[in-house]
């Protein structure tokens, strides 16, 4: 049908005594000792399998370590599915991106592997272009109003998720519930609210990808345009032309700085910096200015302490709101800097000045149509920048923090009934297994009979815990065994952008673990890098000049050579 996926070429060095040996496939990767049976922990479609062996060994896979650096527990894998299905839906089915589908996803020994899909048939690409021009063009033309609506919608979603509570299972249901004549009881309420949490997780990730890849497309198109026409500008200088825009993602850190200044002004900095963190807050009560600072600290926690110390995809990534030692530790550090006479403010004004200066220098180096395209692309890149940065706080930080918190609250009911010993044990079950356990628990409660779960799950959870712990990170080969991103016809795209182009001086190859499966972990430190890793627009064909709207105001893409390099992690970072 003209659909192809990025090919994995001659990526692995063959043994010296068999230079033409075929690389092993993902189905041939050995299971670590102690992890036997790990496949059964996940849904049947997630592990590599013999049923799809021909397909799976014909495509390029890489281990995704930006969002998923550690093995996933069974329940955590459901949000991998939510995210990847949402991504492919918007890329391939909604916006009909000309040369891109989505990302296929698998789990191998607990780790996440992705395969970017592209469309190489020129006729199919051409047929999809007008569809994308209409749909993507509408979003670019109405970005501000769509983003405003997105913010209202995402805050409403987070409010609905935060409002969910789980009824306990009393010996006797209170009379007022019975006499209300509702027709349903606590078994229904508990089941519905568990499904509400799961459904809101899907809704969260659907909203995440509504605008994200369109935003990355605009940013990366501007970035690549500048790299081609302004070679005298470094990647950092290009990125700085879009910097200095106030976004909510940085608000949690600004709040910590503000609280540090308030502590010094109220004279409670000595108390805050003295003694164990666990006792600091209690010691402020009764201190002059202490209760005022505590009230400010408490108000700030919602929503700005819904901030994860990790990617948000793991239930055990510490969240500030649940581990106050993290924000208090940062506040102490800022207080120390203030005492030493240092300025703790971000140099936002200077960043804005530098941004405008660099943009002016870039404009001075261009003329005619190139200058017009630069202005359009820069304006669009700055327009989408708010969402590209802010979505991370509202989804990965705030949204995922709430999901993990609500699932722990739900799990506490099972702990009370003896199904498992700790709230976090729920994450060793798949959502469908939690569903089965819920009805086991409800049947026991409703009928006053023994449940099966307390005999099944404690031992099984510990077994699963040991199995996941036995999965070490895949070993990386030395540079002699490296992936050079080759294919019979064209270089594969990694998550949508062109792969790093090796320089003639000091060839840069990406080391990969053995057994056919690649590994890629560039730093996620800027929109350019995150876009390179996360954008799912593939092939240089889509960059042909096209109009995104009837008045041609926003063109994301210009005709460029297939040899023009995309930002590599090293370059863009």
């Amino acid at each position: 049908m003209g659909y192809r996926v990025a090919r994995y070429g001659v990526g692995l060095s063959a043994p010296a005594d068999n230079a033409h040996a075929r690389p092993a496939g993902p189905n041939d990767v050995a299971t670590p000792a102690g992890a036997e049976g790990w496949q059964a922990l996940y849904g049947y479609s997630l592990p590599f399998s013999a049923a799809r062996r021909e397909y799976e060994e014909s495509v390029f896979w890489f281990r995704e370590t930006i969002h998923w650096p550690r093995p996933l527990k069974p329940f955590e894998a459901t949000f991998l599915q939510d995210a990847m299905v949402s991504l492919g839906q918007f890329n391939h089915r909604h916006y009909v991106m000309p040369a891109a589908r989505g990302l296929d996803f698998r789990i191998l020994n607990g780790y996440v592997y992705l395969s970017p899909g592209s469309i190489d048939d020129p006729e199919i690409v051409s047929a999809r272009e007008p569809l994308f021009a209409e749909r993507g063009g509408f979003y670019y033309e109405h970005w501000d109003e769509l983003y405003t609506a997105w913010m209202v919608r995402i805050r409403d979603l987070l409010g609905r998720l935060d409002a969910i509570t789980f009824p306990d299972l009393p010996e006797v249901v209170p009379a007022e519930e019975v006499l209300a004549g509702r027709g349903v009881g606590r078994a229904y309420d508990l089941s519905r609210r568990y499904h509400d949490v799961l459904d809101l997780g899907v809704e969260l990730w659907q909203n995440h990808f509504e605008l994200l890849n369109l935003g990355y497309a605009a940013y990366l198109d501007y970035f690549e345009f500048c790299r081609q026409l302004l070679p005298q500008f470094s990647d950092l200088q290009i990125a700085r032309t879009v910097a200095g825009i106030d976004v909510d993602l940085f608000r949690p850190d600004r709040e910590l700085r503000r609280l540090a200044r308030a502590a010094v002004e109220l004279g409670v900095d000595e108390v805050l910096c003295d003694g164990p963190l666990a006792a600091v807050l209690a010691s402020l009560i009764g201190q002059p200015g202490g209760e005022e600072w505590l009230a400010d600290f408490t108000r700030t926690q919602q929503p700005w302490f819904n901030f994860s110390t990790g990617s948000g995809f793991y239930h055990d990534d510490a969240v500030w709101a649940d581990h106050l030692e993290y924000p208090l530790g940062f506040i102490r550090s800022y207080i120390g800097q203030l005492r030493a006479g240092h300025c703790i403010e971000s140099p936002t004004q200077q960043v804005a000045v530098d941004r405008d200066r660099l943009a002016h220098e870039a404009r001075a180096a261009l003329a005619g149509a190139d200058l017009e395209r630069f202005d359009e692309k820069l304006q669009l890149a700055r327009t989408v920048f708010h969402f590209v940065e802010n979505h991370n706080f509202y989804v990965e930080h705030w949204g995922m923090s709430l999901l993990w918190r609500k699932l722990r609250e739900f799990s506490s009911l099972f702990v009370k009934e003896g199904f498992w010993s700790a709230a976090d044990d729920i994450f060793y079950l798949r959502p469908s297994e939690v569903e089965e356990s819920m009805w086991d628990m409800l049947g026991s409660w409703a009928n006053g009979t023994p449940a099966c779960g307390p005999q099944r799950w404690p031992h099984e959870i510990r077994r699963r815990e040991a199995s996941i712990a036995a999965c070490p990170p895949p070993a990386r080969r030395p540079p002699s065994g490296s992936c050079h991103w080759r294919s019979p016809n064209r270089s594969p795209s990694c998550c949508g952008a062109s792969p790093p182009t090796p320089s003639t001086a000091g060839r840069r190859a990406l080391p990969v673990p053995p057994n056919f499966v690649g590994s890629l972990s560039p730093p996620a430190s800027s929109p350019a890098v995150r876009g390179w890793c996360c954008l799912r627009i593939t092939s240089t064909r889509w960059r042909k000049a096209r109009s995104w709207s009837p008045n041609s105001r926003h063109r994301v893409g210009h005709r460029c050579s297939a040899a023009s390099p995309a930002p590599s992690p090293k370059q863009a970072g």
Side-chain angles (χ1 to χ4, degrees):
M1 298 296 293
Y3 297 106
R4 292 171 61 97
V5 289
R7 293 286 180 182
Y8 187 95
V10 190
L12 294 170
S13 297
D17 59 348
N18 189 3
H20 301 289
R22 173 185 174 277
N27 286 284
D28 301 318
V29 176
T31 296
E36 292 80 8
W38 65 266
Q39 296 90 338
L41 302 184
Y42 307 99
Y44 73 90
S45 66
L46 284 176
F48 291 97
S49 65
R52 293 181 289 192
R53 183 175 189 127
E54 181 178 358
Y55 157 73
E56 289 170 344
E57 294 189 0
S58 72
V59 303
F60 174 83
W61 297 95
F62 67 95
R63 183 163 68 92
E64 211 280 20
T65 58
I66 293 176
H67 300 92
W68 296 284
R70 296 182 281 128
L72 282 179
K73 295 178 177 63
F75 207 112
E76 293 168 340
T78 192
F79 298 117
L80 164 68
Q81 293 176 304
D82 290 351
M84 293 298 99
V85 168
S86 300
L87 184 155
Q89 169 193 279
F90 280 101
N91 270 21
H92 189 34
R93 305 300 183 183
H94 279 223
Y95 300 129
V96 198
M97 292 184 172
R101 295 185 292 166
L103 284 170
D104 205 356
F105 52 97
R106 296 288 187 276
I107 291 178
L108 177 61
N109 291 335
Y111 292 90
V112 173
Y113 288 81
L114 303 180
S115 178
S118 64
I119 302 172
D120 285 350
D121 187 318
E123 293 184 3
I124 295 179
V125 172
S126 296
R128 291 165 67 94
E129 284 176 358
L131 297 174
F132 182 46
E134 176 191 7
R135 301 169 188 211
F138 176 84
Y139 267 77
Y140 288 130
E141 282 294 309
H142 300 86
W143 189 274
D144 288 340
E145 60 193 87
L146 289 167
Y147 175 50
T148 299
W150 187 91
M151 286 294 296
V152 172
R153 195 165 59 247
I154 202 71
R155 285 183 174 273
D156 173 71
L157 188 160
L158 296 171
R160 285 183 282 135
L161 180 57
D162 195 28
I164 291 176
T165 59
F166 300 100
D168 60 8
L169 302 175
E171 183 67 24
V172 176
V173 174
E176 57 268 23
E177 290 185 32
V178 178
L179 302 181
R182 294 174 59 222
V184 295
R186 295 203 177 192
Y188 167 80
D189 292 338
L190 196 62
S191 173
R192 179 177 58 82
R193 293 177 194 182
Y194 170 60
H195 288 102
D196 284 347
V197 171
L198 297 182
D199 290 343
L200 286 170
V202 176
E203 187 177 345
L204 180 73
W205 283 101
Q206 293 273 300
N207 278 274
H208 176 277
F209 282 107
E210 182 196 11
L211 299 173
L212 182 63
N213 285 351
L214 292 175
Y216 280 142
Y219 184 89
L220 283 177
D221 179 72
Y222 166 72
F223 195 90
E224 194 168 330
F225 174 87
C226 292
R227 293 191 70 199
Q228 185 176 4
L229 272 68
L230 299 167
Q232 68 273 29
F233 277 69
S234 69
D235 292 350
L236 179 59
Q237 287 175 314
I238 296 171
R240 287 168 63 190
T241 62
V242 188
I245 298 174
D246 185 29
V247 292
D248 291 344
L249 179 63
F250 309 135
R251 179 73 177 271
D253 182 60
R254 291 202 304 272
E255 291 296 321
L256 298 184
R257 297 169 194 243
R258 183 186 62 78
L259 287 166
R261 290 193 304 272
V264 173
E265 293 168 0
L266 291 169
V268 297
D269 51 309
E270 290 283 354
V271 179
L272 273 174
C273 293
D274 184 30
L277 286 173
V280 163
L281 297 181
S283 65
L284 287 171
I285 298 175
Q287 295 283 338
E291 294 184 11
E292 179 181 348
W293 189 91
L294 272 177
D296 190 1
F297 180 77
T298 302
R299 285 193 303 270
T300 304
Q301 293 180 36
Q302 293 300 327
W304 307 115
F305 283 13
N306 287 294
F307 199 83
S308 175
T309 58
S311 67
F313 279 100
Y314 295 90
H315 78 275
D316 55 356
D317 286 339
V319 175
W320 289 6
D322 304 321
H323 298 270
L324 294 179
E325 64 270 19
Y326 284 96
L328 284 171
F330 289 128
I331 291 170
R332 278 183 164 184
S333 175
Y334 283 134
I335 288 174
Q337 294 178 49
L338 287 170
R339 286 175 171 176
H342 299 303
C343 176
I344 65 171
E345 302 303 318
S346 297
T348 52
Q349 184 175 359
Q350 185 59 47
V351 168
V353 170
D354 292 342
R355 174 196 65 202
D356 296 338
R357 175 182 57 81
L358 287 167
H360 178 75
E361 292 174 3
R363 296 186 79 257
L366 300 171
D370 288 340
L371 176 58
E372 180 183 353
R373 289 201 301 273
F374 173 83
D375 287 341
E376 290 178 353
K377 293 174 188 296
L378 175 59
Q379 178 184 0
L380 185 57
R382 289 179 175 177
T383 298
V384 304
F385 185 86
H386 289 89
F387 178 83
V388 168
E389 293 292 352
N390 277 347
H391 86 277
N392 189 253
F393 173 71
Y394 288 98
V395 179
E396 281 93 330
H397 288 284
W398 191 355
M400 292 305 295
S401 297
L402 283 175
L403 282 169
W404 300 130
R405 198 173 297 141
K406 291 302 169 181
L407 288 168
R408 286 191 185 93
E409 292 174 10
F410 181 57
S411 179
S412 66
L413 297 175
F414 294 88
V415 174
K416 182 179 178 181
E417 299 299 327
F419 276 63
W420 43 78
S421 60
D424 281 3
D425 285 347
I426 194 175
F427 302 114
Y428 287 99
L429 281 67
R430 298 190 299 275
S432 59
E433 293 175 320
V434 173
E435 170 101 2
E436 294 174 1
S437 300
M438 177 184 67
W439 287 108
D440 179 16
M441 178 175 64
L442 290 174
S444 172
W445 168 75
N447 299 309
T449 55
C452 183
Q455 284 70 48
R456 168 177 169 74
W457 285 118
H459 173 75
E460 175 62 15
I461 287 171
R462 298 288 77 83
R463 186 194 70 79
R464 295 182 180 193
E465 183 179 27
S467 179
I468 292 173
C471 294
R476 288 177 178 267
R477 285 197 173 189
S480 60
S482 56
C483 172
H484 296 299
W485 305 87
R486 292 201 298 268
S487 73
N489 302 312
R490 57 187 285 264
S491 296
S493 301
C494 178
C495 294
S498 301
T501 303
S503 61
T504 55
R507 181 176 178 84
R508 182 176 183 271
L510 297 179
V512 298
N515 297 319
F516 187 78
V517 188
S519 176
L520 177 66
S521 54
S525 56
S526 72
V529 181
R530 286 200 304 277
W532 182 85
C533 301
C534 299
L535 176 61
R536 278 76 182 181
I537 311 292
T538 55
S539 172
T540 58
R541 292 192 183 92
W542 86 278
R543 303 189 204 114
K544 293 185 298 181
R546 64 175 59 87
S547 183
W548 295 126
S549 62
N551 63 9
S552 304
R553 286 295 300 161
H554 296 303
R555 296 187 189 91
V556 180
H558 60 92
R559 187 177 298 278
C560 62
S561 167
S564 64
S568 72
K570 183 177 180 181
Q571 293 165 329

